[in-house]
Amino acid sequence: MIGRRIWQQRPRTLTWRWSSGGTLTRLYSSTTSPQRPSLLGFLSSDGAASFRASNSSVNFSIPYTINKCIAECELLQWFVKEGDQVEEFQPLCEVQSDKATIEITSRYKGKVAQILYVPGNIVKVGETLLKMDVEGSAASTLSSSDLESIKPPALESTELPGSKMSKNTKGGALSTPAVRHLAKEYGIDLNDVHGTGKDGRVLKEDVLEHVEGSAPLLGDEENLQYAFAEVKWQPDDKTVPLRGFQRAMVKTMTMAAKVPHFHYVEEINCDALVELKTSFQNNNSDPNVKHTFLPVLIKSLSMALSKYPFMNSCFNEESVEVILKGSHNIGIAMATSHGLAVPNIKNVQSLSILEITKELSRLQHLAKENKLSPADVSGGTITLSNIGAIGGKFGSPLLNLPEVAIIAMGRIQKVAHFAEDGDVYPVSTMTVNIGADHRVLDGATVARFCNEWKNFIENPEILMLQMR
């Protein structure tokens, strides 16, 4: 999925810089590899400043400029700990909203005086995350005892990760945030684990070995009976808070359920599509490019949208207006370990199939690493859900508002068809289900649009003939 021509123009990264006049400037720079968005400074000295200076320290908070629709973020990890010296523009922490994962960086050079939240906390936009003594200010003269005295009581017994590792306040077990998270999943106290790393650091292997050592061995009948008895009589419920993309899905699907949906189901002959994909693979000279059915389906969808612009629109309920979108920003639903993400390929109408293939690969990689930027997941105009890649003939999708159409595609499978003379022959068939906002789209419009899209898929030569 591509929002720009990848091999002709490298993707631009959005960064923020503070100018000498104290204003926030947005800059673009080229990069050869995807990066997480990094906020170098957030607001000027108005009432909603992200860095609020006082007589003793500078307060850092989640900026209002991340997204006007975001009210809170989850704190994922700290890159610093109390007492650390911080350089200008050094990353301080990583937070995740329901849109993307973002690094917050320091505007100043100084020393971390106080950390107010721990990973996993939900922090409101504008609330102070940490306090820092800035070099050259009165804050830099504070002693360590002074810092300890202003430390909130709730944090005195709370473990705060550093940039590399942190020390458990109970017994001094050294470990990384990933290891502590693994231990928490197994319900293990790291103080009980023998660390084999440098300076007694607890490694991932140490935790797993500890788990295996505490589990009953196969063949040990007495231990097995005891273990089964525990599971039978003392089952534990687990409360899982929904964060990031999962929390966003709760909001969007709740709103979508209130919209009157119209669904249209059709079968598409994919024999020509299968042959085209095979030809792409056989003639592929770039080992970094993997050809699939999806880029052709995306491009053919864009061609059909050009003829039926109402399918590529957004509905404004307050003003009762339909906004026909000029760009075809086609979203692709992606199942990740962090939840359902829907990044979109920008300006598909201007891209070749190869460009779409490369952009799709980029977005899939970022989604897997949980590094999609706000730009990657915003501005979509229509959504494709390739549920067939996992299984199932077709799905019954709900709209990704404010879009007015979404398409769920089932798996491509061989089925028996009858010719006019009664002969039976195999056909590669895909079932699609188009979900439409019935306040905007009627059945006839959706059916004609689907016929146009189907014609491009079943006859790729027509697609190639009309491509620009």
Side-chain angles (χ1 to χ4, degrees):
M1 315 171 195
I2 294 187
R4 57 191 74 83
R5 297 186 177 271
I6 285 182
W7 65 80
Q8 293 181 0
Q9 177 179 339
R10 295 180 298 178
R12 298 183 299 173
T13 301
L14 176 62
T15 59
W16 299 85
R17 297 280 184 181
W18 287 89
S19 65
S20 58
T23 59
L24 189 63
T25 305
R26 185 166 53 183
L27 303 175
Y28 288 96
S29 61
S30 297
T31 179
T32 56
S33 60
Q35 298 179 354
R36 277 179 292 188
S38 177
L39 300 179
L40 304 181
F42 304 113
L43 295 175
S44 56
S45 56
D46 57 17
S50 297
F51 305 98
R52 296 187 296 277
S54 65
N55 293 330
S56 60
S57 64
V58 173
N59 297 343
F60 288 78
S61 62
I62 298 178
Y64 292 95
T65 51
I66 288 181
N67 191 304
K68 293 181 180 179
C69 300
I70 295 176
E72 60 187 20
C73 291
E74 178 186 4
L75 177 61
L76 296 182
Q77 61 177 322
W78 284 105
F79 300 122
V80 296
K81 59 180 181 294
E82 291 183 4
D84 279 359
Q85 290 293 333
V86 176
E87 299 295 326
E88 190 176 7
F89 302 140
Q90 178 180 331
L92 297 175
C93 65
E94 185 178 54
V95 299
Q96 183 180 39
S97 69
D98 56 6
K99 296 292 184 181
T101 302
I102 302 168
E103 282 186 359
I104 294 180
T105 58
S106 175
R107 179 187 170 189
Y108 304 100
K109 181 178 180 181
K111 182 179 180 181
V112 178
Q114 191 178 28
I115 291 178
L116 303 177
Y117 290 92
V118 297
N121 286 165
I122 301 299
V123 185
K124 299 290 185 180
V125 172
E127 290 186 352
T128 301
L129 286 168
L130 65 80
K131 297 181 179 181
M132 190 173 76
D133 296 337
V134 179
E135 290 188 358
S137 70
S140 62
T141 63
L142 290 176
S143 63
S144 58
S145 59
D146 293 330
L147 294 178
E148 186 67 22
S149 65
I150 63 174
K151 192 178 192 180
L155 292 179
E156 291 179 357
S157 59
T158 304
E159 179 184 346
L160 295 174
S163 56
K164 298 271 185 186
M165 67 185 73
S166 67
K167 196 168 185 176
N168 191 296
T169 56
K170 292 183 178 180
L174 295 173
S175 62
T176 63
V179 172
R180 293 196 304 279
H181 180 70
L182 179 64
K184 184 178 179 181
E185 287 185 344
Y186 284 105
I188 295 174
D189 186 350
L190 285 177
N191 294 302
D192 299 331
V193 181
H194 174 66
T196 60
K198 183 179 179 181
D199 298 327
R201 183 194 310 179
V202 178
L203 307 177
K204 176 183 177 182
E205 292 75 12
D206 299 330
V207 175
L208 296 177
E209 183 177 351
H210 183 83
V211 173
E212 294 176 359
S214 61
L217 299 176
L218 292 178
D220 191 336
E221 185 175 345
E222 181 179 352
N223 285 339
L224 280 175
Q225 289 177 352
Y226 177 74
F228 289 147
E230 279 195 330
V231 173
K232 180 178 180 180
W233 297 109
Q234 297 181 6
D236 293 329
D237 295 336
K238 184 178 181 181
T239 301
V240 180
L242 298 182
R243 300 284 188 262
F245 295 130
Q246 291 179 319
R247 175 173 287 198
M249 185 169 65
V250 173
K251 298 177 182 178
T252 56
M253 292 300 98
T254 300
M255 292 188 296
K258 301 176 182 179
V259 174
H261 282 59
F262 164 75
H263 285 93
Y264 181 84
V265 181
E266 178 64 290
E267 285 189 351
I268 299 177
N269 186 327
C270 294
D271 283 342
L273 180 63
V274 172
E275 292 181 6
L276 187 62
K277 173 197 168 185
T278 302
S279 177
F280 286 164
Q281 289 176 328
N282 293 337
N283 294 278
N284 182 23
S285 58
D286 188 347
N288 297 321
V289 175
K290 180 182 179 181
H291 292 286
T292 63
F293 299 116
L294 197 51
V296 180
L297 294 171
I298 293 172
K299 185 61 182 180
S300 58
L301 176 64
S302 175
M303 297 292 290
L305 291 175
S306 298
K307 189 171 182 178
Y308 295 92
F310 268 82
M311 297 293 297
N312 190 64
S313 64
C314 293
F315 179 58
N316 188 326
E317 188 172 1
E318 293 183 0
S319 60
V320 195
E321 293 177 336
V322 177
I323 304 171
L324 304 181
K325 296 293 185 176
S327 298
H328 298 170
N329 299 340
I330 300 179
I332 307 297
M334 299 181 182
T336 73
S337 58
H338 309 284
L340 180 65
V342 190
N344 60 82
I345 304 174
K346 303 291 194 295
N347 300 312
V348 174
Q349 75 279 1
S350 302
L351 304 176
S352 69
I353 293 176
L354 182 58
E355 289 176 311
I356 295 172
T357 301
K358 292 183 177 181
E359 177 68 356
L360 176 61
S361 177
R362 184 187 74 86
L363 292 175
Q364 288 173 332
H365 174 73
L366 291 178
K368 183 179 179 180
E369 299 296 326
N370 196 27
K371 295 180 180 179
L372 290 167
S373 69
D376 291 328
V377 296
S378 60
T381 58
I382 190 171
T383 299
L384 280 179
S385 175
N386 189 21
I387 192 66
I390 301 175
K393 291 184 177 181
F394 64 91
S396 183
L398 291 177
L399 291 169
N400 185 20
L401 299 177
E403 299 169 14
V404 299
I406 183 172
I407 304 173
M409 302 179 296
R411 66 176 181 269
I412 297 177
Q413 57 182 348
K414 288 280 188 180
V415 296
H417 275 224
F418 286 91
E420 293 183 358
D421 57 4
D423 290 341
V424 179
Y425 62 97
V427 174
S428 297
T429 302
M430 175 180 66
T431 303
V432 298
N433 188 341
I434 303 176
D437 187 337
H438 216 342
R439 299 172 301 178
V440 178
L441 300 172
D442 56 63
T445 300
V446 175
R448 293 190 183 100
F449 160 78
C450 189
N451 289 339
E452 187 77 9
W453 186 37
K454 177 180 179 179
N455 187 41
F456 285 133
I457 297 173
E458 294 183 343
N459 304 281
E461 63 276 8
I462 299 178
L463 173 67
M464 304 301 172
L465 186 65
Q466 297 188 22
M467 281 178 56
R468 296 178 181 176

